[in-house]
Amino acid sequence: MEGASRHALATARAILDEVTATPPGAAATPVDARRVADDLRAVADLLHREPTVRRALTDPGAPPAARAELATRLFGRQLAAPSLRIAQTAVSARWSLPTDLQYALLELSVEALLVEAERDGALEEVEDELFRFARILGQNPQLALALTDPAAPASVKNALLTRLLSGRAHPVTLRLAQQAAADRIHGDVERRLADFSRIAAARRGRVVAIVRTAVPLTDEVIARLGAAISRYFGRQIQLQVDLDPDLLGGVVVKVGDEVVDGSVLRRLAAARRALLR
């Protein structure tokens, strides 16, 4: 997303956090975060199917209040009040591209589910489970294909994920995996799960570094590597370690779009290029 869309997403996220915050007092009932997630995803799916509606709700020539009123007319009877407020905030903002609104609503639906994990004190657990399951899919192409096959009904994919994860992972992890499998906009389930894991890390105030290594690392080495990477980038970094024997040795670290390649494979490739000069 470009600057305008990032700002718009941040504004809508602030409203999401506000409406889903646990109210004070033992008798207070918190907002149903799962309902909010379902509502926002339904709106995103509609925008994907109806480009005319998507353009109308992101038209920079229309006043923000008019776009919010249009959202109310379209969705007011279908959405819960907190969900409608988030949707109104989102459509009132300025987006760099019309499609950025639907992508933002999908991300906000993920964050709403993560609110449920936060309430259970399980956000870190869900983050790790999403990352691990993404790696499992990367190592099992047939399983990944079964979850991305457009001809397979959603009920079949959901049943498969339930067999794989129910009782072995947090319920939020299962719902997010089902959402990733149903997401025909992005397609790649493995990448979507990794994206969801990074969103969870960001909610914990962490930036994720994907560390690929040829051999398993001890807890002590991971701790030292995490401290070194945090110093290098000047901020707190959360490590997600992925085994990749093809590297031969060393590590490759990716933080966002920046890659630090310290693998043996890279050094061999560099040596080979030097010999061919």
Side-chain angles (χ1 to χ4, degrees):
M1 289 185 180
E2 297 183 6
S5 290
R6 285 196 297 270
H7 177 74
L9 175 58
T11 301
R13 182 184 291 118
I15 299 300
L16 169 69
D17 288 342
E18 178 183 332
V19 301
T20 57
T22 302
T29 302
V31 164
D32 185 347
R34 183 178 298 187
R35 169 68 189 275
V36 171
D38 290 343
D39 283 349
L40 296 179
R41 178 162 185 83
V43 175
D45 289 344
L46 174 66
L47 297 184
H48 178 60
R49 295 193 308 269
E50 302 290 346
T52 301
V53 175
R54 183 174 66 232
R55 287 192 294 270
L57 290 174
T58 56
D59 180 7
R67 299 199 299 272
E69 175 59 27
L70 176 58
T72 302
R73 293 202 306 271
L74 290 172
F75 312 125
R77 294 187 178 183
Q78 288 79 35
L79 304 185
S83 311
L84 180 60
R85 184 180 172 197
I86 297 166
Q88 290 168 331
T89 301
V91 303
S92 299
R94 185 168 70 88
W95 299 91
S96 303
L97 296 171
T99 52
D100 284 349
L101 173 59
Q102 73 188 60
Y103 296 150
L105 289 170
L106 286 172
E107 182 163 330
L108 290 168
S109 74
V110 171
E111 296 216 34
L113 284 175
L114 292 172
V115 167
E116 189 175 326
E118 284 179 318
R119 291 172 179 172
D120 287 346
L123 186 56
E124 183 176 0
E125 174 187 346
V126 169
E127 175 196 334
D128 185 65
E129 288 173 349
L130 290 167
F131 175 76
R132 298 299 169 194
F133 190 49
R135 299 284 73 79
I136 289 172
L137 292 182
Q139 297 162 8
N140 293 269
Q142 289 185 327
L143 177 57
L145 181 61
L147 293 173
T148 55
D149 183 1
S155 59
V156 172
K157 296 177 183 178
N158 288 345
L160 173 59
L161 287 166
T162 299
R163 288 199 303 272
L164 292 170
L165 297 176
S166 183
R168 300 181 179 89
H170 193 278
V172 169
T173 302
L174 173 58
R175 285 183 62 82
L176 286 170
Q178 291 172 336
Q179 179 162 324
D183 188 354
R184 296 186 178 183
I185 297 175
H186 296 88
D188 187 334
V189 178
E190 180 187 350
R191 181 168 62 84
R192 289 298 288 155
L193 289 170
D195 287 344
F196 293 172
S197 179
R198 285 190 284 275
I199 293 170
R203 285 196 70 83
R204 297 200 303 121
R206 301 296 186 98
V207 176
V208 172
I210 306 298
V211 178
R212 292 165 55 213
T213 174
V215 297
L217 304 179
T218 65
D219 290 343
E220 180 183 356
V221 170
I222 291 174
R224 286 194 280 112
L225 181 60
I229 293 173
S230 295
R231 286 195 301 272
Y232 177 86
F233 286 97
R235 50 187 168 170
Q236 186 65 39
I237 302 292
Q238 175 77 22
L239 298 191
Q240 292 181 342
V241 181
D242 186 19
L243 288 179
D244 185 355
D246 290 341
L247 294 179
L248 303 181
V251 296
V252 176
V253 179
K254 182 177 181 182
V255 179
D257 295 328
E258 188 166 355
V259 177
V260 179
D261 191 340
S263 67
V264 171
L265 185 62
R266 181 196 63 81
R267 293 195 291 270
L268 290 173
R272 182 175 183 275
R273 287 194 298 270
L275 291 172
L276 293 175
R277 288 176 184 171

